[in-house]
């Protein structure tokens, strides 16, 4: 009888249960019938949200077709519960880390990083980033940086690290891993958020010096190079996108989020909604950019309806990628 492994991992900042099995037509059909099931191209398996009701439903639907291996899931749930309790206790406890105990080698996968079950509770706790209104890109960065710490710690409990441990880890990142100053700053910000805001420790990061960033002058294109770049574009939409970014000084995310209603031809301005730091701002709209945008809209088929630059689906913004 074929077997299905229920394996927990983090996918798109959410805890999920992977359903792993050897290629089998009958099992494939059975798995597709599970409510909420999706395919992950990254992890090459089907998965469902880590939800008690969905898990019970999956067990019920799949048990007639295969042997169900849930030891990784059960071990993770046990460690998750213990970890949450430990995090609450450590808010009032600054004990040094205990010696690494012998634990079953159950791991949680996060974007290729194997995280020991002793630390599997950390990434779900970082969901406080969402509640505090951090941007999706910042959330991804912080989770990635924390995952690298947990990968390096293996079975050593991360909640019990002291300032000295974190200093040694950051020296290791700089000297052994060769991380650049900007990456180290991101890693320190992620650690600071977890230990000070999630666990509630005192602001001991004052004791950890930050590496000095390099001051690098930007590489500025000449007028000739800029003209050559724009003349090389034959696609009017691509030209309009690039010219909007260049003329108005916009980030990629700001360009794709521009809506038709944000163009004020009377005042010759562009309204940038919720830019960096969730702050609105207004930038100048040059007459040359306005001409390019009008020509782009006239020749678009179909014409944009909501966003200035739309993808294949009407009313949906163009992909950042």
């Amino acid at each position: 009888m074929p077997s299905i492994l229920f394996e927990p991992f983090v996918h798109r900042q959410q805890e999920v249960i992977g359903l792993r099995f050897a290629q089998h037509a009958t099992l494939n059909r059975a798995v597709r019938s599970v409510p909420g099931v999706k395919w992950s191209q990254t992890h090459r398996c089907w998965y469902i949200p880590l939800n008690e009701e969905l898990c019970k439903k999956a067990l019920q639907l799949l048990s007639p077709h295969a042997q169900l291996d849930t030891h990784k899931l059960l071990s993770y749930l046990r460690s998750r519960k213990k970890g949450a309790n430990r995090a609450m206790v450590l808010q009032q406890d600054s004990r040094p880390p205990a010696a690494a105990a012998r634990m079953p080698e159950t791991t949680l996968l996060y974007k290729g990083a194997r995280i020991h079950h002793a630390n599997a509770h950390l990434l779900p706790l970082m969901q406080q980033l969402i509640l505090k209104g951090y941007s999706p890109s910042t959330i991804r960065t912080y989770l990635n940086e924390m995952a690298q710490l947990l990968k390096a710690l293996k079975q050593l409990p991360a909640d019990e690290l002291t300032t000295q441990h974190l200093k040694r880890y950051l020296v290791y990142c700089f000297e052994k891993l060769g991380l650049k100053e900007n990456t180290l700053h991101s890693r320190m910000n992620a650690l600071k958020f977890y230990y000070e805001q999630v666990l509630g420790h005192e602001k001991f990061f004052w004791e950890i010096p930050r590496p000095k960033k390099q001051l690098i002058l930007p590489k500025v294109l000449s007028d000739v190079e800029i003209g050559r770049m724009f003349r090389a574009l034959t696609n009017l939409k691509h030209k309009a996108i690039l010219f909007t970014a260049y003329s108005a000084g916009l980030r990629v995310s700001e360009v794709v989020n521009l809506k038709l209603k944000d163009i004020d031809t009377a005042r010759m301005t562009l309204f940038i909604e919720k830019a960096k730091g969730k702050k609105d701002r207004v930038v100048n709209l040059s007459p040359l950019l306005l001409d390019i945008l009008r020509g782009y809209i006239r020749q678009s088929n179909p014409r944009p309806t909501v966003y200035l630059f739309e993808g294949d689906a009407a009313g949906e913004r163009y992909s950042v990628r």
Side-chain angles (χ1 to χ4, degrees), residues 84-95:
N85 292 337
R86 188 195 301 125
M88 293 175 64
V89 170
L90 284 173
Q91 289 184 17
Q92 301 175 336
D93 187 358
S94 56
R95 295 172 299 169

Side-chain angles (χ1 to χ4, degrees), residues 180-198:
K180 299 298 182 183
E181 290 82 359
N182 287 343
T183 306
L184 283 172
H185 274 263
S186 295
R187 192 154 296 186
M188 291 178 73
N189 289 339
L191 297 176
K192 178 179 174 66
F193 180 86
Y194 181 73
Y195 286 99
E196 292 183 0
Q197 297 198 44
V198 177

Side-chain angles (χ1 to χ4, degrees), residues 240 244 263 285 289-297 308-309:
T244 301
I263 304 173
L285 171 64
L289 174 58
L290 180 57
D291 286 342
I292 291 175
L293 294 180
R294 280 173 170 166
Y296 147 69
I297 291 175
L308 178 58
F309 303 109

Side-chain angles (χ1 to χ4, degrees), residues 84-200:
N85 292 337
R86 188 195 301 125
M88 293 175 64
V89 170
L90 284 173
Q91 289 184 17
Q92 301 175 336
D93 187 358
S94 56
R95 295 172 299 169
R102 292 184 176 274
M103 297 180 181
E105 291 299 321
T106 305
T107 57
L108 174 71
L109 282 176
Y110 181 76
K111 294 190 176 179
R114 289 197 170 273
I115 299 168
H116 194 275
H117 82 270
N119 292 316
H121 64 284
L122 266 76
L123 294 183
L125 285 176
M126 291 285 281
Q127 296 296 319
Q128 289 189 34
L129 288 161
I130 299 174
L131 300 178
K132 287 183 173 289
Y134 281 68
S135 69
S137 61
T138 301
I139 293 172
R140 283 195 301 271
T141 298
Y142 280 22
L143 289 178
N144 287 336
E145 300 299 353
M146 284 300 297
Q148 295 310 309
L149 168 67
L150 304 183
K151 179 182 177 182
L153 289 177
K154 298 181 180 177
Q155 74 270 23
L156 184 66
D159 286 346
E160 299 178 8
L161 296 183
T162 64
T163 307
Q164 292 304 316
H165 291 113
L166 293 173
K167 280 183 179 178
R168 289 202 296 270
Y169 170 68
L170 292 169
V171 170
Y172 162 78
C173 291
F174 181 75
E175 293 184 344
K176 301 296 183 183
L177 301 183
L179 299 186
K180 299 298 182 183
E181 290 82 359
N182 287 343
T183 306
L184 283 172
H185 274 263
S186 295
R187 192 154 296 186
M188 291 178 73
N189 289 339
L191 297 176
K192 178 179 174 66
F193 180 86
Y194 181 73
Y195 286 99
E196 292 183 0
Q197 297 198 44
V198 177
L199 292 189

